[in-house]
Amino acid sequence: MKYFICIFAGSNESRMKKNKFDPAEINHSQEKELTFWDHLDVLRGAIIRSVVAIVVVGITAFIFKNILFDQIILAPKNNDFITYRILCKLGKMLSTDSFCFDTSSIHLININLAGQFMSHMMISLIAGLIVASPYVVWELWRFVKPGLTEHERKNTRGVVLIISALFFTGVFFSYYIVVPLMINFLGNYQVSEAVVNQISLTSYTGSVTTMTLIMGLIFEFPIVVIFLTKIGILSPTLLRKYRKHTFIVILIISGLITPSPDVFSQLIVTLPLYGLYEISLSISARMFRKKEEMERKEDMAG
């Protein structure tokens, strides 16, 4: 028995010398290790602070009701919205009136007693979520960061800024491109002249906010690709193999997002989404090359 203890102690000592471990540092790190319940407490704190930030921004948005609704939410249904004006000018340059949209026939109604108040509260909370999203991402990143190695921390510098920038890019793309095209087509679409569109406020606000949040999440696709490449599920070869299939899927998604028969409207949505895929492919290829170089250096060192 003493023989096995001596062997274990000797091998442990040699392993510590080989990896340059300091027993004092090991004990210190073990003292700092958190239990499962400690991790839950940290996560709970991050969630509570995130919710408080969303509520505070939401209350601010609730107070400035006129700006929130008249200048932001309801603006895409007006003829003088910037997207309609730019498209109309582009149509005149191309000697066509098909790009000059008319949304003057779109009117909103409220059919529920508490409909306008509930819409006011819901839109304010969604505005709080969108505006406070960088802080929410930062809180989640603070929770995840201690579990990463020093090398992983260096490779993920600026991740909060990148995630936030991609999300806001998707939000702005939806608000200025997708939402106006969707409102113009669906708001003016009629199966018969005998049927008049009377769009409820909740239907309008729900469509605008849902599309905006969806596009914000879709624009996070490069982050998803980076993560899947990091854990070895995706590779540049796989992404290149299904490039044509992806383009067809993006065309279908663009057709669903902008159900207008106008090909130009579909291309406006298709090209940025496909550009995201190509950017993700480029990032994946670069990560894969770095990973292969590191493995090659490790093999040479070993």
Side-chain angles (χ1 to χ4, degrees), residues 75-89:
K77 78 174 189 64
N78 300 327
N79 279 336
D80 60 348
F81 190 61
I82 184 172
T83 303
Y84 300 137
R85 288 189 276 117
I86 292 175
L87 289 176
C88 191
K89 289 181 180 179

Side-chain angles (χ1 to χ4, degrees), residues 13-254:
E13 183 181 355
S14 62
R15 187 162 56 248
M16 292 167 76
K17 288 180 180 179
K18 181 180 179 181
N19 294 316
K20 298 179 180 180
F21 287 154
D22 186 358
E25 291 183 0
I26 294 174
N27 293 331
H28 184 65
S29 63
Q30 286 176 347
E31 290 175 359
K32 285 188 174 182
E33 285 182 0
L34 300 177
T35 64
F36 174 76
W37 300 110
D38 292 332
H39 282 293
L40 283 183
D41 286 337
V42 174
L43 179 60
R44 183 180 61 181
I47 293 174
I48 290 174
R49 288 189 295 271
S50 299
V51 171
V52 169
I54 293 171
V55 171
V56 169
V57 178
I59 291 173
T60 305
F62 187 89
I63 294 172
F64 294 95
K65 177 180 66 176
N66 294 335
I67 296 176
L68 179 63
F69 279 88
D70 294 337
Q71 299 183 26
I72 299 177
I73 298 298
L74 302 179
K77 78 174 189 64
N78 300 327
N79 279 336
D80 60 348
F81 190 61
I82 184 172
T83 303
Y84 300 137
R85 288 189 276 117
I86 292 175
L87 289 176
C88 191
K89 289 181 180 179
L90 179 61
K92 290 178 180 178
M93 291 173 58
L94 299 175
S95 301
T96 177
D97 294 331
S98 59
F99 293 163
C100 293
F101 302 135
D102 183 14
T103 59
S104 58
S105 62
I106 300 176
H107 300 285
L108 303 181
I109 62 172
N110 176 53
I111 58 177
N112 296 319
L113 180 62
Q116 295 201 46
F117 178 73
M118 294 305 297
S119 294
H120 189 187
M121 288 192 62
M122 185 60 64
I123 295 300
S124 298
L125 284 177
I126 293 175
L129 174 62
I130 292 174
V131 175
S133 59
Y135 178 77
V136 175
V137 173
W138 181 71
E139 282 288 353
L140 294 176
W141 171 244
R142 281 210 312 168
F143 174 74
V144 174
K145 187 177 179 180
L148 302 178
T149 63
E150 187 64 29
H151 178 71
E152 289 172 338
R153 292 180 187 179
K154 289 181 180 179
N155 290 335
T156 53
R157 285 178 181 173
V159 65
V160 175
L161 179 62
I162 295 171
I163 292 175
S164 302
L166 288 173
F167 180 74
F168 280 119
T169 301
V171 167
F172 287 127
F173 178 74
S174 174
Y175 181 74
Y176 287 106
I177 302 296
V178 179
V179 167
L181 295 175
M182 177 185 69
I183 291 173
N184 173 72
F185 177 73
L186 296 179
N188 289 317
Y189 186 83
Q190 287 181 289
V191 294
S192 171
E193 292 183 359
V195 182
V196 179
N197 284 334
Q198 291 186 327
I199 304 169
S200 68
L201 176 64
T202 54
S203 174
Y204 174 88
T205 55
S207 299
V208 171
T209 54
T210 300
M211 184 59 64
T212 301
L213 291 175
I214 288 175
M215 291 304 299
L217 294 177
I218 287 177
F219 269 67
E220 298 291 348
F221 183 69
I223 301 298
V224 177
V225 170
I226 290 173
F227 175 74
L228 295 179
T229 303
K230 182 71 176 176
I231 62 179
I233 295 178
L234 275 183
S235 67
T237 305
L238 187 65
L239 292 173
R240 292 190 187 98
K241 180 180 178 181
Y242 291 100
R243 177 181 275 159
K244 294 180 180 178
H245 304 78
T246 303
F247 184 74
I248 295 173
V249 171
I250 290 175
L251 277 175
I252 295 172
I253 294 174
S254 302

